[in-house]
Amino acid sequence: MPTRPTASLLLDNPTISKTLDDLASSHTIERIWTRDHTLWKSSPTEIDNRLGWLTVLDHMQDGLTELRSFAKAAREARITDVVLLGMGGSSLGPEVLRCTFGSAKGFPKLWVLDSTVPGWVRQVTKAIQPARTLFLVASKSGGTIEVMSLFAHFWELVRRTKGNRGGAQFVAITDPGTGLEQLARERGFWRTFTNQPDIGGRYSVLSYFGLVPAALLGLDVGKLLSRALTMRESCRNTSSPKDNPGAALGGMMAAMAMAGRDKVTLLTSPALNSFGLWVEQLLAESTGKEGTGIVPVAGEPLASPTAYGADRLFVALRLKGDRNAALDRSIIALQRAGHPVFRLNLADRYDLGGEFFRWEFATAVAGHALGIHPFDQPNVQESKDNTARVLKDVETQGRFPSLPMLTPKQALTQLLEQAAPNRYLAMLAYTTPSPQLDASIRALRKAVMLRHHIATTAGYGPRYLHSTGQLHKGGPNSGLFLEFVDGMKPDVPVPEKFYSFGTLAQAQAVGDLQSLQTHQRPAVRIALGPNPVRTIRSLIAMLTPAKAGRRKPAAKKRPLPKRRTHR
């Protein structure tokens, strides 16, 4: 059974209680289950055809045998690697499952490639054995530029590989009637998993988009679904929003956001760190519009309570049996300092199935309480259009538009001069991840927190364009945006296109920067140079007060010579 929040006293906060009472009086829970679109907007557009996540679990239960037999067939085909080519809702759920569970013994390794940065593409290309790799081409629309560019690259790689099995090494996951579905037929893909079409990408983790990769990892998909089904039944509870796990979380987040605590900060046990990637997209893309929204803060380093402003709501996900000492200390310290902390307990990793559904339901509830449409994403299309425009300029003019050139220190100084209570700093990195780079970005986030007491977020581009990008442009104008871009060298061509992966990534970075500036968002760009880690460390040094040097021990005084006594 889903566990009740141990911080349930937080739900008795007068601000939250009023919002929960409002949810009860408007019959929010009942209206969600009857698919009443007027709960959110008078027009049914992108609501009527986006509520399939409420019932997709039943369809997936029916498809369990199919998923298991497919995973078994992949093992029998001696597949050693699975590369998922997807963006946003097609990739972030599988990435959480990959990081949280890993591959079961005897099952292939999963790579989630949701980037056009050539270093990242090259890294995955070098790591796999092409002839023994299965490629999952995952796209709801079936035509996302990143996914189709990646497909072209790996199709060509397989074609040139000795022992390749052609289309039999590719699997499509898409909606019915898409260009990807047709491509799969034409190229002879091994399988096409046609997803239920009335599910938005960010609500699709418990559909084929999440469960096909889960099955290939060797997860017990039946157990994952069972936990989700149990949570779904609990979210049908109409006796009181306080007793409904999804409604309680959604009402609390909305109430706190309207009261000024709009930075929902996730604290997690170490094994659950990646869960924030999925929550970021769900909350940011669903609520970040019409000048309002919830700002999800995930992966931020732990700090003392004094580092946090009064704009935070903390949600802690604690996994039983994990290394929880640091998390537990932080929870106690934050509560003692008066910060609101809502704690969720997970008995084991499969409880993530329940959490996926809880947070989906909570986001739908929060959307109603905030008065916004939680199922559209108007500014995501804007970013796609900007990328297309920049690419067109490059094709016709042979160059990118000129941008202001500042040194890294000048750019960060200019941006942080605007730091103030309720603001947040978003770091947007168009580069190849590495443990060293991740560590330097975390250290920079902590330095900003300690110096300016503002929230920080971090995301890799272009992944974040399909996640927090909607919030950045459509949400509250409280963000400060720091874009990091590497040199994209050596580059990787995109077969049969005039542009390379480096050109595409640069176009996405330029287009997004221009879009942020059009929306009057403070945004600067930093060239990472040949050594990205060193560049970021120089910014950390700029923010970190020089430590007073240790005082040298005083030199020993030589004993004075004895006075001679004159007789």
Side-chain angles (χ1 to χ4, degrees):
M1 292 292 293
T3 52
R4 284 186 55 119
T6 57
S8 57
L9 286 177
L10 186 58
L11 298 177
D12 294 326
N13 173 293
T15 302
I16 298 172
S17 288
K18 182 183 183 307
T19 298
L20 295 178
D21 290 342
D22 291 343
L23 295 178
S25 62
S26 65
H27 302 287
T28 298
I29 298 167
E30 296 94 326
R31 291 167 67 190
I32 287 175
W33 286 108
T34 58
R35 301 191 178 209
D36 179 0
H37 70 268
T38 62
L39 185 64
W40 297 285
K41 293 290 178 182
S42 58
S43 168
T45 306
E46 283 198 270
I47 300 176
D48 272 4
N49 61 347
R50 288 293 185 274
L51 294 173
W53 55 274
L54 289 167
T55 54
V56 70
L57 298 177
D58 303 316
H59 180 53
M60 292 296 101
Q61 280 281 99
D62 294 340
L64 273 176
T65 301
E66 175 190 32
L67 287 168
R68 288 167 178 154
S69 63
F70 174 65
K72 182 182 177 184
R75 289 184 71 190
E76 290 172 349
R78 300 177 63 215
I79 297 295
T80 58
D81 296 275
V82 174
V83 178
L84 188 151
L85 313 176
M87 295 298 298
S90 303
S91 65
L92 293 172
E95 176 70 356
V96 171
L97 296 172
R98 182 190 74 82
C99 293
T100 305
F101 290 90
S103 301
K105 186 176 181 180
F107 284 82
K109 183 173 184 177
L110 175 65
W111 305 83
V112 175
L113 183 54
D114 53 357
S115 176
T116 54
V117 173
W120 207 338
V121 176
R122 204 167 52 250
Q123 193 177 77
V124 173
T125 303
K126 289 181 178 179
I128 61 173
Q129 301 178 60
R132 297 181 65 185
T133 298
L134 183 65
F135 299 91
L136 303 182
V137 189
S139 171
K140 176 178 172 62
S141 67
T144 310
I145 188 171
E146 299 96 334
V147 176
M148 300 319 295
S149 298
L150 291 166
F151 163 71
H153 168 77
F154 286 105
W155 179 268
E156 181 65 18
L157 178 71
V158 168
R159 191 185 66 81
R160 292 187 281 104
T161 300
K162 184 178 179 180
N164 79 79
R165 293 180 291 116
Q169 288 185 236
F170 291 82
V171 169
I173 309 172
T174 189
D175 278 8
T178 65
L180 176 55
E181 187 181 53
Q182 181 179 346
L183 179 73
R185 280 196 302 269
E186 293 171 352
R187 301 285 182 102
F189 280 22
W190 180 10
R191 283 290 305 269
T192 295
F193 289 92
T194 305
N195 210 56
Q196 200 173 311
D198 58 346
I199 305 173
R202 57 188 176 274
Y203 292 83
S204 67
V205 64
L206 295 169
S207 72
Y208 282 131
F209 282 105
L211 297 187
V212 170
L216 290 168
L217 279 168
L219 272 65
D220 185 339
V221 179
K223 184 186 287 189
L224 195 70
L225 281 174
S226 175
R227 303 295 174 86
L229 284 162
T230 301
M231 180 62 75
R232 186 179 72 172
E233 290 312 300
S234 295
C235 288
R236 288 184 185 275
N237 186 340
T238 59
S239 61
S240 166
K242 189 174 180 179
D243 296 323
N244 180 306
L249 176 60
M252 178 184 59
M253 290 192 297
M256 289 284 94
M258 291 185 285
R261 290 187 178 269
D262 64 343
K263 314 298 188 303
V264 172
T265 304
L266 266 71
L267 309 176
T268 68
S269 296
L272 303 178
N273 279 342
S274 63
F275 185 67
L277 287 172
W278 179 80
V279 170
E280 273 185 326
Q281 185 202 22
L282 182 69
L283 285 180
E285 205 166 65
S286 298
T287 71
K289 55 200 71 168
E290 299 181 37
T292 189
I294 295 167
V295 180
V297 180
E300 195 177 51
L302 296 174
S304 68
T306 57
Y308 303 106
D311 56 349
R312 304 271 196 154
L313 164 66
F314 295 90
V315 181
L317 285 90
R318 188 182 190 280
L319 177 64
K320 183 179 179 180
D322 204 1
R323 302 185 307 277
N324 291 316
L327 173 65
D328 292 343
R329 285 196 300 271
S330 291
I331 291 171
I332 292 168
L334 289 166
Q335 289 175 326
R336 284 176 177 168
H339 286 289
V341 182
F342 195 67
R343 180 168 144 178
L344 304 172
N345 292 323
L346 282 73
D348 61 30
R349 298 176 196 215
Y350 279 96
D351 270 356
L352 273 183
E355 290 306 318
F356 285 137
F357 191 88
R358 183 207 302 265
W359 285 82
E360 287 172 351
F361 198 87
T363 301
V365 169
H368 163 69
L370 292 170
I372 54 89
H373 187 330
F375 305 109
D376 67 353
Q377 49 283 324
N379 298 106
V380 172
Q381 184 58 48
E382 176 187 328
S383 290
K384 294 176 182 178
D385 294 342
N386 283 342
T387 296
R389 176 180 49 76
V390 174
L391 282 175
K392 186 68 175 175
D393 290 345
V394 172
E395 185 179 21
T396 56
Q397 300 173 23
R399 58 182 174 81
F400 286 99
S402 58
L403 296 168
M405 296 297 292
L406 296 172
T407 68
K409 291 183 180 180
Q410 287 172 335
L412 185 60
T413 299
Q414 182 185 102
L415 199 60
L416 289 179
E417 282 174 351
Q418 301 170 74
N422 301 319
R423 284 223 183 242
Y424 69 97
L425 176 68
M427 302 177 193
L428 315 172
Y430 286 82
T431 187
T432 307
S434 70
Q436 296 80 11
L437 187 67
D438 288 343
S440 65
I441 290 174
R442 282 196 301 273
L444 179 57
R445 292 177 73 175
K446 190 161 188 175
V448 170
M449 291 168 62
L450 295 175
R451 182 76 174 265
H452 294 281
H453 306 288
I454 60 173
T456 65
T457 66
Y460 282 104
R463 168 195 279 174
Y464 77 83
L465 293 177
H466 299 260
S467 175
T468 54
Q470 170 61 47
L471 171 81
H472 295 164
K473 274 91 74 177
N477 192 358
S478 55
L480 305 170
F481 301 95
L482 180 62
E483 189 178 84
F484 296 122
V485 184
D486 76 19
M488 307 293 170
K489 301 294 181 184
D491 207 345
V492 176
V494 178
E496 300 181 10
K497 297 292 181 183
F498 77 88
Y499 54 82
S500 63
F501 279 103
T503 304
L504 176 54
Q506 288 274 19
Q508 292 174 305
V510 170
D512 194 50
L513 187 71
Q514 291 177 337
S515 179
L516 288 166
Q517 292 170 343
T518 299
H519 287 276
Q520 285 79 51
R521 269 46 174 171
V524 297
R525 175 186 172 102
I526 289 177
L528 285 172
N531 191 327
V533 172
R534 183 184 299 167
T535 300
I536 294 173
R537 284 177 179 167
S538 72
L539 300 178
I540 298 167
M542 180 183 114
L543 292 171
T544 307
K547 293 180 180 178
R550 289 182 179 178
R551 188 177 290 178
K552 291 181 180 179
K556 286 186 178 181
K557 293 182 180 180
R558 291 182 182 178
L560 294 171
K562 291 183 179 179
R563 286 186 180 181
R564 286 186 182 177
T565 305
H566 296 279
R567 291 186 181 176

